Amino acid sequence: MNVLMISPGYPAEMTFFTRGLAAAGASVIGVGDQPAPALPVIARDAMSHYIAVGSLAAEEAVVATVRALARQERIDRVECLWEPYMLLAARLREELDLPGLTVTQTVPFRDKEQMKRLIDAAGLRTPRHASTETVAGVWAAADRLGFPLIVKPIAGGGSADTYRAGSVTELNAILPMLRHVPQVSVEEFVEAEEFTYDTICAGGRVLFENISWYRPRPLLNKTHEWISPIDITLRDLDAPELQGGRALGAAVLKALEFRDGFTHMEWYRKADGEVVFGEIAARPPGGRMVDLMNYATDADLFSAWAEAVTHGRISQPIERRYNAASIFKRAKGAGRITHYEGLDRLLAEFGVQAAPVRRLTPSAAQPVLGLILIIRGTSGSRTGNSAVHAELVRINVRLTAIEKVLTDIE
Ligand SMILES: Nc1ncnc2c1ncn2[C@@H]1O[C@H](COP(=O)(O)OP(=O)(O)OP(=O)(O)O)[C@@H](O)[C@H]1O
Ligand SMILES: [Mg+2]
């Protein structure tokens, strides 16, 4: 099978999906805007062929290049796991008459308003919402939805330009900051815990599912620089408090007619147990969450995805053995992180609990994210999800207390 992989070496995680495709027996043709010498070795070794295009954003030029390629070489599938080019991949599938998400099927995974409309139509619970391109439209939505509410871009990422308004005064203060956003989604603010529901599907069947718990809610990370966010990939998906989200996730996939590949959904669980849809993407989660899934299962989900999209199955056993969590230790202030101190002491203190650590290279221009600490429970541990959280809070408090874990912000 010949698979055309968009951006096979960037972002860094794509490398492992590309390798997975080769391991599944596919012949991988890469199309990306990295010059060939800049490709990570793992990605380069996994490809039979790589075409460097000037820019993946130049859609017409990329389509022309791929059409020319398709006259020489059979292409069986087009894959893309990077959000900005999901629509390009869909367009290429249509051009080449290949299976997988079409443009029309991809849009609801990108446009938060269309997404919620389809999910509403299936009778599922979304935050009450409106979309608008004008300031007057935001006020009209506020009248209808009441406070508190959320205003955010229709196709956002990383909580960018996302604001909570608790009152007319707060909304007044927020509106000028949204002037550069052409279209916004206005939503009822859902006071709740936030989780993910991630899957790998084939032929419309869920072959692998995952739930992670965001601590605290992502919007708070954006507003409070001192917070070191934690993502916990939960071992026990049968826990009663997760069943509503699991059922919602399965229903959303049906409503959007998703069939093959990775999905990443976010959902809310209110204190009264009600579950509410957040958003969904037709790709894996970022933030090293696929790594976390691998730590939680001792499996290789990069390869599992590749096997699912090429052969419609996952043959490696996947057993949820551990709770696995990452702590993104952030530096305070803007600048460049030059070195860390105190980390070895911290790891010694937590022994086997704290396993791998990713140190971002001191040269990386990273104003906030400094360090990722991945922690997992011991094998066979039956600790419940909340016990794990308590332990993480303990670790995170210590992490925060060791002032010099991150130092020297230039
Ligand atoms: N209706 C809502 N009620 C409460 N909180 C919300 C609501 N909408 C968004 N948020 C908060 O803002 C965060 C970012 O919103 P959302 O997930 O829609 O956008 P995003 O920027 O696309 O996120 P991502 O980085 O996951 O792509 C959410 O994780 C949540 O904390
Ligand atoms: Mg989100």
Side-chain angles (χ1 to χ4, degrees):
M1 175 181 282
N2 296 336
V3 179
L4 190 116
M5 176 75 162
I6 308 281
S7 199
Y10 185 86
E13 271 185 2
M14 296 306 137
T15 302
F16 304 108
F17 291 110
T18 303
R19 176 171 68 184
L21 286 171
S27 174
V28 186
I29 306 163
V31 174
D33 48 19
Q34 286 176 292
L39 284 170
V41 176
I42 293 173
R44 200 180 314 151
D45 287 353
M47 285 185 276
S48 61
H49 196 51
Y50 177 71
I51 302 171
V53 292
S55 160
L56 284 171
E59 194 169 309
E60 295 310 320
V62 177
V63 169
T65 304
V66 171
R67 247 199 248 114
L69 171 76
R71 281 194 283 273
Q72 292 156 22
E73 249 178 293
R74 201 189 69 239
I75 297 172
D76 301 298
R77 285 198 73 87
V78 174
E79 291 298 337
C80 176
L81 298 171
W82 191 27
E83 185 77 17
Y85 300 114
M86 308 296 297
L87 280 167
L88 169 67
R91 165 100 190 268
L92 291 173
R93 283 182 207 112
E94 290 188 3
E95 294 278 344
L96 305 179
D97 201 16
L98 297 177
L101 291 179
T102 62
V103 172
T104 311
Q105 288 168 327
T106 303
V107 170
F109 286 94
R110 297 268 308 143
D111 177 320
K112 293 184 187 189
E113 196 59 27
Q114 286 210 31
M115 177 189 295
K116 279 173 295 206
R117 276 191 212 140
L118 283 178
I119 292 164
D120 288 338
L124 304 169
R125 169 76 161 99
T126 61
R128 288 182 301 117
H129 58 94
S131 80
T132 176
E133 289 163 21
T134 64
V135 168
V138 174
W139 286 113
D143 267 351
R144 187 162 70 77
L145 303 174
F147 289 98
L149 50 76
I150 274 270
V151 191
K152 60 187 179 182
I154 210 90
S159 300
D161 300 311
T162 299
Y163 299 95
R164 178 189 190 277
S167 63
V168 168
T169 317
E170 283 179 21
L171 186 55
N172 252 322
I174 287 161
L175 286 173
M177 297 188 273
L178 285 163
R179 232 174 247 142
H180 64 285
V181 181
Q183 192 183 5
V184 295
S185 208
V186 185
E187 290 182 357
E188 152 200 11
F189 184 87
V190 181
E191 190 57 59
E193 294 275 10
E194 274 188 63
F195 297 89
T196 71
Y197 176 72
D198 314 294
T199 74
I200 299 175
C201 294
R205 279 188 315 125
V206 175
L207 302 184
F208 166 76
E209 57 183 352
N210 179 74
I211 293 180
S212 296
W213 186 12
Y214 293 128
R215 302 291 297 163
R217 310 189 64 170
L219 190 60
L220 291 178
N221 302 333
K222 198 194 124 201
T223 24
H224 303 287
E225 196 180 43
W226 57 267
I227 292 176
S228 294
I230 304 178
D231 294 340
I232 313 175
T233 291
L234 298 170
R235 186 187 62 77
D236 183 11
L237 300 193
D238 294 324
E241 69 273 16
L242 302 180
Q243 299 322 301
R246 250 172 132 181
L248 176 67
V252 164
L253 293 176
K254 276 216 170 64
L256 300 184
E257 296 175 3
F258 188 83
R259 293 184 61 78
D260 301 285
F262 235 115
T263 60
H264 168 53
M265 183 181 106
E266 294 171 333
W267 57 282
Y268 310 121
R269 184 173 183 279
K270 291 169 54 174
D272 65 5
E274 187 186 18
V275 296
V276 183
F277 172 80
E279 61 166 347
I280 186 166
R283 52 154 174 88
R288 312 282 177 140
M289 287 218 275
V290 179
D291 272 344
L292 274 188
M293 294 177 205
N294 286 343
Y295 283 115
T297 57
D298 277 337
D300 173 359
L301 290 157
F302 298 106
S303 300
W305 163 83
E307 194 191 9
V309 296
T310 53
H311 298 291
R313 60 167 191 263
I314 296 177
S315 41
Q316 57 181 298
I318 302 182
E319 190 197 333
R320 300 190 77 83
R321 294 191 180 157
Y322 311 94
N323 288 293
S326 62
I327 299 177
F328 283 64
K329 175 64 187 155
R330 300 198 292 186
K332 288 183 207 157
R336 207 164 60 89
I337 291 155
T338 55
H339 73 282
Y340 313 103
E341 269 176 43
L343 183 61
D344 296 341
R345 217 168 354 114
L346 186 74
L347 289 182
E349 187 177 331
F350 292 106
V352 292
Q353 282 273 320
V357 174
R358 313 256 170 172
R359 293 162 208 241
L360 299 181
T361 51
S363 62
Q366 282 286 1
V368 284
L369 172 65
L371 179 82
I372 303 172
L373 187 64
I374 292 175
I375 295 166
R376 65 181 189 184
T378 44
S379 177
S381 117
R382 308 300 290 179
T383 38
N385 296 334
S386 22
V388 161
H389 180 240
E391 176 63 5
L392 279 162
V393 168
R394 198 171 71 78
I395 295 173
N396 204 1
V397 165
R398 287 289 297 128
L399 195 61
T400 308
I402 297 184
E403 267 172 39
K404 300 215 90 175
V405 164
L406 283 176
T407 56
D408 287 3
I409 311 298
E410 280 186 340

